[in-house]
Amino acid sequence: MSLFTVTVPARHCALRYRHGRLDVVLGSGRHPRVWGARHVLVDLRDQLLALAPQEVPTADGVTVKVGAVVRWSVADAVMFVEHAVDPVGHTYLAAQVALREVLGGLAVDDIVRRRAVLPGADVTAATDAVARTVGVAVAEVVVKDVILPAELRAAAAELATARQRGQAVLEQARAETAALRSMANGARLLDAHPALAQLRLVQSAPPGTQVVLRVGGTEAER
């Protein structure tokens, strides 16, 4: 701002007050200064508001910690400046309450299974309805953290371990069954062809083994 002009940056607006009353809302650009007036600059760009993890009781009585991020912007600059001392604080509280109301109707199993597709639209709508009263528009509420109690995390780890162990035992049983089936097929083949059994016996003999062949009632050694 200079002595003669007021410059409002892009994606901002300025509220000009004279004698304690709103005179005009100035858009981005350069405007002539009015002596005796006070200007309040308002940022209209999207902003992020991180919600600290809070405890949310589920429908089945289990308490989980949920963290979220609110994407918001100023929808009504006059209302944002005049209707609340801390409009961002109002938005923060509205998001907390919406999380408790929406997620509190779900069981802990539903929250865990649907972590990637939790009802964020319902939380966003409930938060936006309250935030609009202080000039804030909520574009999205993203649930980014769901922290289970230590007991449930331990139980989930044990379940995953047991599932992996069962899968390993199943694979081992399948391998053993395949091996037995192959051996049974080989045994039937040897029963049907005795000469193959003798040949296999000779092939499996270690080096240095003495082999006796019986031909026409006589024996020959090799």
Side-chain angles (χ1 to χ4, degrees):
M1 295 184 182
S2 66
L3 292 176
F4 303 102
T5 60
V6 175
T7 301
V8 181
R11 292 291 296 160
H12 290 68
C13 70
L15 278 59
R16 186 168 70 195
Y17 287 88
R18 297 186 64 188
H19 309 297
R21 294 184 178 181
L22 179 65
D23 180 26
V24 67
V25 178
L26 303 175
S28 58
R30 181 175 296 178
H31 307 274
R33 177 182 290 278
V34 176
W35 297 108
R38 180 175 66 92
H39 296 84
V40 178
L41 189 66
V42 179
D43 192 339
L44 303 178
R45 295 173 296 179
D46 284 358
Q47 303 186 52
L48 297 178
L49 176 63
L51 273 63
Q54 63 167 331
E55 294 186 348
V56 176
T58 62
D60 48 1
V62 178
T63 300
V64 298
K65 288 186 177 181
V66 179
V69 175
V70 181
R71 183 164 63 89
W72 65 278
S73 61
V74 176
D76 188 322
V78 176
M79 189 177 294
F80 183 79
V81 172
E82 296 184 354
H83 281 223
V85 175
D86 185 10
V88 178
H90 279 68
T91 305
Y92 188 101
L93 179 60
Q96 283 186 318
V97 174
L99 279 173
R100 293 179 67 88
E101 290 180 350
V102 175
L103 299 185
L106 300 175
V108 65
D109 289 341
D110 295 333
I111 294 178
V112 172
R113 286 197 302 266
R114 299 169 55 190
R115 182 174 298 183
V117 288
L118 287 175
D122 297 338
V123 178
T124 300
T127 305
D128 183 67
V130 177
R132 291 280 179 177
T133 62
V134 291
V136 172
V138 175
E140 186 179 18
V141 178
V142 179
V143 178
K144 65 183 186 71
D145 296 316
V146 178
I147 305 173
L148 300 176
E151 296 82 359
L152 288 182
R153 293 200 301 271
E158 291 178 1
L159 179 61
T161 302
R163 186 179 295 113
Q164 292 299 323
R165 287 176 179 171
Q167 187 68 25
V169 172
L170 179 60
E171 290 299 326
Q172 183 179 0
R174 289 175 178 171
E176 292 178 352
T177 301
L180 290 175
R181 185 180 297 111
S182 177
M183 292 175 62
N185 292 336
R188 285 195 295 269
L189 182 62
L190 293 177
D191 288 341
H193 303 279
L196 289 177
Q198 296 177 3
L199 178 60
R200 180 57 182 155
L201 179 61
V202 172
Q203 289 177 342
S204 62
T209 302
Q210 184 178 15
V211 179
V212 179
L213 299 178
R214 185 180 298 273
V215 180
T218 62
E219 293 184 355
E221 295 187 0
R222 293 190 61 186

